Amino acid sequence: MRFVMEAVAHGLSQDDIAEVIGASQATISRIVKRIAQDPRVTRPSVKEIVNRATVKEITRSKMVQELRTLKIGYVKKPDSEWMNLRGALHRGLLSKAEVEVVAEDAARKIVARVTHSMDLEAQHVPQSAVDEMVRETTAKLVADLG
């Protein structure tokens, strides 16, 4: 999808794109419409990033760096980014230490949303309490990934 998006942005016709990737123009048209409806479909995924590291296209540190930039919500639906992270850990594609770093970032985002809401209600949360919430949330997330 990213290739199609970039090719369209560079002025290639749908027919030209279809020829390059071996698809029909109608397929390219559907992809373009899907991207227009939801541009998030072109974002990298946990699976893609882990697979790129597995085939040594990127380094492990680059993999962790890219995983940290993803919006990985704590959603336990099949094929959610959270469940894909868990699957990568269980298949040995991610180490526990790598998962802990990613889980800490997810915990920071969760805690930031909570503390922001509290700030809006004039209930300031001291930094020491924020740090403790991040530690506790990280531990719970890592345990869930198990």
Side-chain angles (χ1 to χ4, degrees), residues 17-117:
I17 298 167
E19 187 176 326
V20 168
I21 66 172
S24 69
Q25 181 277 326
T27 297
I28 301 305
S29 178
R30 284 190 295 276
I31 291 171
V32 169
K33 285 178 186 173
R34 181 152 185 235
I35 293 168
Q37 291 171 344
D38 185 6
R40 293 175 298 178
V41 299
T42 62
R43 290 183 187 161
S45 67
V46 168
K47 283 182 179 180
E48 176 187 345
I49 294 167
V50 170
N51 288 341
R52 288 175 57 218
T54 301
V55 299
K56 307 224 183 302
E57 184 180 307
I58 59 173
T59 64
R60 305 263 325 162
S61 62
K62 178 72 172 166
M63 173 188 66
V64 172
Q65 179 185 355
E66 289 187 21
L67 288 172
R68 293 178 76 182
T69 66
L70 290 183
K71 183 176 182 180
I72 303 175
Y74 181 66
V75 178
K76 294 174 99 175
K77 292 181 183 176
D79 212 36
S80 68
E81 293 292 43
W82 186 257
M83 296 306 284
N84 290 334
L85 191 66
R86 176 189 274 177
L89 174 66
H90 287 256
R91 288 190 314 278
L93 302 174
L94 287 172
S95 70
K96 184 149 179 147
E98 291 166 335
V99 165
E100 286 173 354
V101 170
V102 176
E104 183 177 348
D105 281 352
R108 286 189 188 288
K109 292 170 188 167
I110 291 167
V111 170
R113 286 192 302 271
V114 171
T115 56
H116 177 72
S117 294

